[in-house]
Amino acid sequence: VRGKDDTSADMWSLACTVFELITGDFLFEPRKGKNYKKNEDHLALITELLGECPNKKFLLSGKKSDKFYDKEGKLKNIKKLKYWGMKDVLIEKYRLRDFEAVALSDFLLKMLQWEPKNRASA
């Protein structure tokens, strides 16, 4: 439950906005597929960037988790994921210098945590 002083969603949004300002692209741009909906693609894109959620209990605790995840915490309809971490995305796709990619990645990933309680605070 989000308290009135909880800024965790805002921090996630800030990281997405900073990424967009620097690269000119959305961090996540989900699309509907033949066998999956846009929301499931969004979860797949997050997983590819951040890796699997380390806390399966948290992952499966959402009201609609069972629509997207099986009991093992794997996406039901998207099986093949291409993991591509933030630093590598910044270097390979956006041609940032290594030290810039490391610094930006470290900054953004503090806000892009699966569990809101683990995100950097405002």
Side-chain angles (χ1 to χ4, degrees):
V1 176
R2 184 178 166 156
K4 66 180 176 179
D5 293 330
D6 182 10
T7 60
S8 60
D10 300 325
M11 298 310 292
W12 183 280
S13 295
L14 175 61
C16 293
T17 301
V18 169
F19 182 91
E20 184 178 346
L21 289 170
I22 290 172
T23 65
D25 289 336
F26 293 119
L27 181 55
F28 304 110
E29 195 166 4
R31 293 182 168 87
K32 183 180 178 217
K34 198 164 51 168
N35 299 318
Y36 55 86
K37 296 186 179 202
K38 194 173 178 179
N39 285 339
E40 192 166 10
D41 189 42
H42 197 178
L43 293 168
L45 292 171
I46 292 168
T47 304
E48 288 174 332
L49 185 74
L50 302 181
E52 299 282 334
C53 178
N55 184 345
K56 298 299 177 223
K57 185 177 178 184
F58 165 78
L59 186 70
L60 300 174
S61 68
K63 289 181 198 172
K64 298 182 180 183
S65 294
D66 60 332
K67 285 178 66 175
F68 304 110
Y69 294 103
D70 64 19
K71 290 181 223 169
E72 310 302 315
K74 302 288 183 198
L75 289 166
K76 286 183 174 180
N77 298 310
I78 301 176
K79 301 298 180 193
K80 291 185 179 183
L81 298 178
K82 180 186 180 236
Y83 294 93
W84 200 17
M86 178 70 77
K87 181 180 75 94
D88 293 331
V89 168
L90 293 170
I91 291 170
E92 294 169 22
K93 184 172 182 182
Y94 297 102
R95 304 289 183 219
L96 267 67
R97 288 180 267 172
D98 197 59
F99 75 94
E100 293 171 326
V102 168
L104 181 57
S105 178
D106 288 347
F107 175 69
L108 296 176
L109 291 175
K110 287 180 174 84
M111 296 177 271
L112 296 170
Q113 294 292 312
W114 278 101
E115 291 187 69
K117 69 179 180 129
N118 294 336
R119 294 179 194 153
S121 65

